[in-house]
Amino acid sequence: MRLINGVNLFLVLILISGVLFSQNPEWVNFTYGNDVYAVAIEGSYVWVGTSGGLVRLDRTTGAMTFYNRSNSGLPSNYVYSIAIDGQGNKWIGTYGGLAMFDGSRWIVYNTTNSGLPSDWVNSIAIDGQGNKWIGTIGGGLAMFDGSRWTVYNIWNSGLPSDYVYSIAIDGQGNKWIGTYGGGLAMFDGSRWIVYNTTNSGLPSDTVISIAIDGQGNKWIGTWGGGLAMFDGSRWRVYNIWNSGLPSDIVISIAIDGQRNKWIGTW
């Protein structure tokens, strides 16, 4: 099973570049692989995870640097997620494990040399203490504090599925975890709460994407159920029948400074 974490996000990237490089924006494809799974912004750089490796785009000059298995320590050319910590280190989730890149040095964590429970790393979030929360396909959720690993799975925790598609962390440090077939889980560090189609207004038990707005509302993209908004007590669902949403498969969500929601669909 191949998970698409961010459906062709090159549309976002090329629009950014068009705005920066031209008074009349033009569409230019800066990608390396045919599929783009992740985009992260770091100052003047855009880091892009593709099916052909990792790309760094300098938004000021347009210069690109390509990283892949043949010219770097990247363990796989399939880059599904990117997160950047407070020290500027890039944490890169791939089909071959988790890579950390500090700009010159690569460190790779996989199932043979670390506590990572699966080499398919699909989502990464970093909390206020610098802990990395790593969602894997088939291995559940891992937390890495820089030296120790803690793994949460269906056998030792309240995680409802070992297929973790998305992670978001709210202002209180709660982790919101989207899974395949298990619904949405909230983990506060000790307690688990699971929301699914039988006990809540969640419209699908496969949660692909999560974004949290400035008011703490959770915007939840599902496979086949559309977009859900959860304010902590009430649910509201947007789908092709009751809104302008063009597809009920919601792959990615971003919220801008004006609180507009940008929604990538299948």
Side-chain angles (χ1 to χ4, degrees):
M1 177 177 57
R2 181 180 175 194
L3 173 67
I4 298 180
N5 189 33
V7 59
N8 286 338
L9 287 174
F10 73 86
L11 292 176
V12 176
L13 177 61
I14 57 188
L15 179 58
I16 289 170
S17 21
V19 170
L20 289 169
F21 300 147
S22 172
Q23 294 269 345
N24 299 306
E26 297 178 356
W27 292 88
V28 181
N29 191 344
F30 284 103
T31 66
Y32 183 58
N34 288 331
D35 300 310
V36 174
Y37 300 114
V39 175
I41 308 295
E42 182 192 27
S44 63
Y45 293 120
V46 181
W47 293 86
V48 187
T50 82
S51 58
L54 179 69
V55 184
R56 186 189 72 179
L57 168 68
D58 187 323
R59 293 190 289 169
T60 303
T61 66
M64 290 177 290
T65 305
F66 298 92
Y67 303 91
N68 54 46
R69 287 190 65 190
S70 64
N71 69 2
S72 74
L74 199 65
S76 168
N77 286 340
Y78 283 85
V79 176
Y80 291 111
S81 51
I82 307 166
I84 302 173
D85 66 23
Q87 288 71 49
N89 300 312
K90 273 58 74 176
W91 294 85
I92 303 155
T94 79
Y95 190 66
L98 174 71
M100 189 284 290
F101 180 48
D102 66 6
S104 58
R105 182 183 54 139
W106 293 83
I107 299 175
V108 174
Y109 304 91
N110 56 41
T111 54
T112 63
N113 68 5
S114 73
L116 189 69
S118 166
D119 285 338
W120 189 338
V121 175
N122 195 71
S123 52
I124 307 168
I126 302 174
D127 67 22
Q129 289 71 49
N131 300 312
K132 288 76 188 174
W133 293 85
I134 302 152
T136 75
I137 300 301
L141 175 71
M143 189 278 283
F144 180 49
D145 67 4
S147 58
R148 295 175 302 169
W149 294 82
T150 305
V151 175
Y152 304 90
N153 56 42
I154 60 173
W155 305 106
N156 68 4
S157 74
L159 189 69
S161 168
D162 284 339
Y163 292 78
V164 175
Y165 281 8
S166 52
I167 308 167
I169 302 174
D170 68 22
Q172 289 70 50
N174 301 312
K175 287 76 189 174
W176 294 83
I177 303 152
T179 74
Y180 172 79
L184 174 71
M186 189 282 290
F187 180 48
D188 66 5
S190 57
R191 182 182 54 141
W192 293 82
I193 299 175
V194 175
Y195 304 91
N196 55 43
T197 54
T198 63
N199 68 5
S200 74
L202 189 69
S204 167
D205 285 333
T206 296
V207 174
I208 303 295
S209 52
I210 307 167
I212 302 174
D213 67 24
Q215 290 68 49
N217 300 312
K218 287 76 189 174
W219 295 84
I220 302 152
T222 74
W223 187 276
L227 175 70
M229 190 279 285
F230 179 49
D231 68 5
S233 57
R234 294 174 303 169
W235 293 82
R236 183 171 181 180
V237 175
Y238 303 88
N239 56 41
I240 61 172
W241 304 107
N242 68 6
S243 73
L245 192 68
S247 168
D248 284 338
I249 300 175
V250 175
I251 304 296
S252 54
I253 309 166
I255 302 171
D256 67 23
Q258 288 71 48
R259 296 192 285 183
N260 300 309
K261 288 76 188 174
W262 294 84
I263 302 152
T265 72
W266 182 267

